[in-house]
Amino acid sequence: MAIDTLRRAAHFVALCLAQALVFNHVHLFGYATVLLYVYFVVIFPRSYPRWAILLWSFALGLSVDMFTNTPGMAAAALTLVGFLQPYLLELFLPRDAAENIKSSVSALGFTRFLTLASILVFVHCLVFFTIESFGFFNWLEWLLTIGGTTLLTLVLLITIETVRR
């Protein structure tokens, strides 16, 4: 258990620093920004306590907010994703799946993992950019930002997941 916590803490620090130092400075076509820290919440295993998922999600979102000057936006969006992840993971797992199965391409299969990750990343982007705009003044730009960021984040997330196997 201690090794798992240390590994999770290392992922936490690595994703937070990568987001703050690299990915926040990359904006493709003025709309798409990689929000890779969502990957941290996507890969929680089935047996992980729900309260701990919420706590880790909020802490990572708050850390990203502090480093990227987005007051509360990442924390709110990532906490919602952390709340939804266990319920959505149950929908995509086979009925006879082990209790300690991890959310990954090798455990779920490519299609199921891609669908799960797509839903979670889309929800995160939707909430994050809705809070950012706090109104639909330019709704076309809002839609392009959500779509572009979701697509770019998913491409990088799937790339990391296939390399990780």
Side-chain angles (χ1 to χ4, degrees):
M1 186 66 173
I3 293 174
D4 181 54
T5 304
L6 287 175
R7 186 177 296 135
R8 197 162 305 283
H11 282 131
F12 181 99
V13 170
L15 286 171
C16 187
L17 288 176
Q19 185 66 41
L21 298 175
V22 177
F23 295 127
N24 272 355
H25 302 290
V26 176
H27 304 288
L28 266 78
F29 309 112
Y31 296 109
T33 304
V34 178
L35 301 177
L36 190 62
Y37 58 89
V38 180
Y39 180 64
F40 182 78
V41 179
V42 172
I43 61 172
F44 273 110
R46 180 184 195 180
S47 61
Y48 213 78
R50 291 182 179 166
W51 65 268
I53 294 173
L54 286 174
L55 192 62
W56 278 108
S57 300
F58 178 73
L60 180 60
L62 193 61
S63 299
V64 169
D65 282 335
M66 286 190 298
F67 285 119
T68 60
N69 198 22
T70 54
M73 295 181 341
L78 206 57
T79 303
L80 177 64
V81 170
F83 175 75
L84 294 174
Q85 192 268 354
Y87 298 107
L88 289 173
L89 181 59
E90 286 295 324
L91 292 175
F92 292 101
L93 287 175
R95 293 193 187 269
D96 58 344
E99 189 63 31
N100 60 350
I101 191 169
K102 293 186 179 184
S103 175
S104 65
V105 170
S106 60
L108 296 176
F110 183 77
T111 307
R112 286 182 179 180
F113 182 79
L114 179 64
T115 308
L116 172 68
S118 299
I119 293 170
L120 291 174
V121 169
F122 176 74
V123 167
H124 179 269
C125 291
L126 180 70
V127 172
F128 185 86
F129 291 113
T130 301
I131 293 171
E132 183 185 49
S133 68
F134 203 73
F136 304 110
F137 180 73
N138 189 351
W139 62 272
L140 185 60
E141 183 177 330
W142 175 73
L143 288 174
L144 286 171
T145 304
I146 290 171
T149 301
T150 300
L151 187 64
L152 189 59
T153 302
L154 277 173
V155 166
L156 206 59
L157 191 140
I158 293 299
T159 304
I160 288 173
E161 185 62 27
T162 54
V163 169
R164 194 179 98 164
R165 292 197 260 179

